[in-house]
């Protein structure tokens, strides 16, 4: 289930819905922890293959010498004591095969995968016959495969075979509006039905934090907080130090006769100063675009404008008196 009502998540769900109705191979890209497997499952569940199997493979965990066996299977009595079994492609027949972290495959494994994707037939290790499979492939990576192709670390032909349709899953820091909803989701999941909430301070700290581990990290933080909490409310003391030590609110010295535009400009400047000039960080905290931030910090507040006008008038008077 894709949790979130932000504009980015609404767009993602709409795109997944359109893709699911097609038979094409899908490449899901995004940082670690953003929920690429959830997107793959959503593609499967909203497709005509929803009653078929969904088989997930972690390509990063495949042992080089066993890649063929894991993906394509092995025939009975290929070696002493070896029992025949189907590979992941056959197990996913009629359904979806999810190849997670496909960018971690070795060059040899990439070549073997490409051969199967070209005609969707597999040949078990030790076998002579080819088996046609009706399997939709959905691949995922936290790497930039295009850059890897240019660097010669990923086969270009395999990349273009996988990237029939591409889906980019946004990081959590780009959809902060979803953090409260995700928090509620994880509280229900880990509190096992017990009513739990988060304090206002915790909510603010979680909104400010950048979440380098994305949704996966948020889930682990809530799981930890539920385990440590002694009340029905998650407090700052239940959070990891990295999140609890959030920057304090900037102290502002704003005259009460200023306009809203003036107040906004001063606050934006104060936040930018607190972020040591890091405009991206300031935009995240203020939840505004770079263009808006630039407009705010370039605006001259009303009181400063008044001081400038007074200074200009005084200079004119001095100049006139001298003349």
């Amino acid at each position: 289930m894709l949790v979130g009502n932000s504009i980015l998540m609404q767009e993602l769900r709409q795109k997944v819905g359109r893709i699911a109705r097609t038979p094409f191979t899908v490449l899901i890209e995004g940082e670690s922890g953003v929920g690429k497997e959830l997107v793959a499952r959503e593609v499967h569940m909203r497709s005509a293959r929803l009653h078929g199997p969904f088989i997930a493979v972690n390509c990063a965990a495949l042992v080089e010498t066993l890649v063929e066996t894991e993906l394509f299977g092995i025939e009975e009595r290929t070696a002493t004591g070896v029992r025949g079994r189907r590979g992941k492609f056959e197990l996913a027949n009629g359904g979806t095969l999810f190849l997670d972290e496909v960018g971690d495959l070795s060059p040899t494994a990439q070549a073997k995968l490409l051969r199967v994707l070209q005609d969707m037939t597999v040949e078990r290790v030790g076998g002579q016959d080819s088996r046609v499979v009706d399997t939709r492939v959905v691949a995922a990576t936290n790497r930039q495969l295009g850059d890897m192709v240019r660097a010669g670390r990923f086969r270009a032909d395999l990349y273009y075979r996988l990237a029939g349709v591409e889906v980019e899953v946004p990081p959590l820091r780009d959809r902060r509006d979803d953090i409260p909803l995700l928090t509620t989701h994880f509280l229900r999941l880990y509190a096992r039905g017990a009513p739990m909430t988060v304090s206002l301070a915790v909510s603010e700290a979680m909104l400010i934090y950048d979440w380098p581990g994305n949704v996966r990290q948020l889930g682990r933080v809530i799981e930890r907080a539920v385990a440590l909490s002694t009340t029905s409310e998650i407090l700052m003391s239940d959070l990891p130090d990295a999140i609890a030590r959030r920057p304090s609110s900037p102290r502002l010295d704003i005259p009460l006769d200023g306009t809203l535009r003036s107040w906004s400009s001063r606050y934006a400047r104060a936040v930018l100063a607190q972020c040591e000039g890091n405009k991206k960080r300031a935009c995240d905290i203020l939840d505004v675009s770079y263009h808006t931030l630039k407009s705010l910090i370039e605006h001259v507040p009303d009181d400063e404008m008044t001081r400038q006008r007074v200074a200009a008038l005084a200079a004119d008077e001095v100049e006139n008196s001298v003349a």
Side-chain angles (χ1 to χ4, degrees):
M1 178 176 63
L2 299 177
V3 178
N5 290 325
S6 64
I7 293 177
L8 287 176
M9 286 304 291
Q10 291 179 36
E11 292 175 347
L12 178 61
R13 273 194 290 266
Q14 291 172 2
K15 187 171 186 178
V16 166
R18 293 193 298 269
I19 291 170
R21 294 191 292 269
T22 73
F24 306 132
T25 300
V26 181
L27 178 63
I28 304 172
E29 299 175 301
E31 298 176 6
S32 292
V34 293
K36 295 186 290 293
E37 183 170 344
L38 287 177
V39 173
R41 289 184 180 275
E42 190 79 2
V43 169
H44 173 72
M45 293 303 298
R46 296 175 68 175
S47 73
R49 298 174 176 268
L50 78 164
H51 298 300
F54 179 91
I55 304 296
V57 180
N58 182 1
C59 296
L62 290 177
V63 179
E64 175 66 20
T65 55
L66 298 178
V67 169
E68 282 188 279
T69 300
E70 288 295 320
L71 294 180
F72 316 133
I74 187 170
E75 288 288 4
E76 190 81 22
R77 295 183 297 276
T78 298
T80 303
V82 173
R83 299 184 59 183
R85 59 187 177 91
R86 294 180 295 168
K88 303 301 185 184
F89 270 89
E90 285 189 73
L91 290 173
N93 191 46
T96 302
L97 177 62
F98 176 55
L99 300 176
D100 195 14
E101 302 307 345
V102 71
D104 289 335
L105 286 175
S106 68
T108 301
Q110 292 175 32
K112 294 173 181 176
L113 176 60
L114 175 63
R115 188 178 69 249
V116 173
L117 291 178
Q118 286 174 338
D119 52 16
M120 294 309 292
T121 62
V122 297
E123 185 176 306
R124 294 181 184 177
V125 175
Q128 302 294 326
D129 301 325
S130 295
R131 292 175 168 83
V132 177
V133 290
D134 175 24
T135 303
R136 181 180 195 173
V137 174
V138 177
T141 179
N142 62 3
R143 304 187 181 193
Q144 293 295 325
L145 291 190
D147 293 341
M148 293 180 66
V149 169
R150 286 185 285 275
R153 292 184 287 115
F154 198 85
R155 294 181 63 109
D157 45 8
L158 177 57
Y159 170 65
Y160 293 120
R161 177 70 64 174
L162 292 173
V165 178
E166 295 179 86
V167 178
E168 180 74 28
V169 185
L172 186 55
R173 62 181 174 276
D174 288 350
R175 54 183 188 102
R176 295 179 189 271
D177 292 352
D178 292 330
I179 291 177
L181 194 59
L182 284 163
T183 300
T184 301
H185 168 74
F186 286 125
L187 281 175
R188 291 172 179 168
L189 180 63
Y190 296 122
R192 301 182 183 279
M196 293 197 73
T197 59
V198 298
S199 68
L200 179 60
V202 167
S203 179
E204 291 177 348
M206 294 176 74
L207 284 171
I208 292 174
Y209 186 61
D210 268 346
W211 300 105
N214 293 294
V215 179
R216 182 187 295 129
Q217 182 188 9
L218 174 59
R220 297 290 77 79
V221 166
I222 297 300
E223 184 179 26
R224 174 187 187 272
V226 169
L228 295 178
S229 179
T230 57
T231 68
S232 61
E233 184 178 53
I234 304 298
L235 304 175
M236 291 292 283
S237 57
D238 300 321
L239 296 181
D241 290 342
I243 302 175
R245 289 199 306 266
R246 73 191 194 286
S248 57
S249 299
R251 297 182 60 183
L252 303 176
D253 182 19
I254 302 178
L256 296 179
D257 58 349
T259 64
L260 180 60
R261 178 70 171 175
S262 176
W263 283 49
S264 299
S265 176
R266 283 186 170 273
Y267 184 68
R269 294 181 183 196
V271 171
L272 183 61
Q274 186 183 15
C275 296
E276 300 178 346
N278 188 325
K279 293 184 175 63
K280 183 179 184 303
R281 173 70 170 159
C283 287
D284 288 342
I285 293 176
L286 293 168
D287 193 22
V288 298
S289 67
Y290 176 80
H291 176 76
T292 301
L293 175 65
K294 183 179 179 181
S295 173
L296 287 172
I297 61 180
E298 289 180 349
H299 172 75
V300 180
D302 298 339
D303 54 330
E304 291 186 18
M305 182 72 76
T306 300
R307 284 197 295 271
Q308 292 176 9
R309 288 173 178 170
V310 170
L313 288 173
D316 288 342
E317 291 179 1
V318 170
E319 184 176 345
N320 293 333
S321 62
V322 171

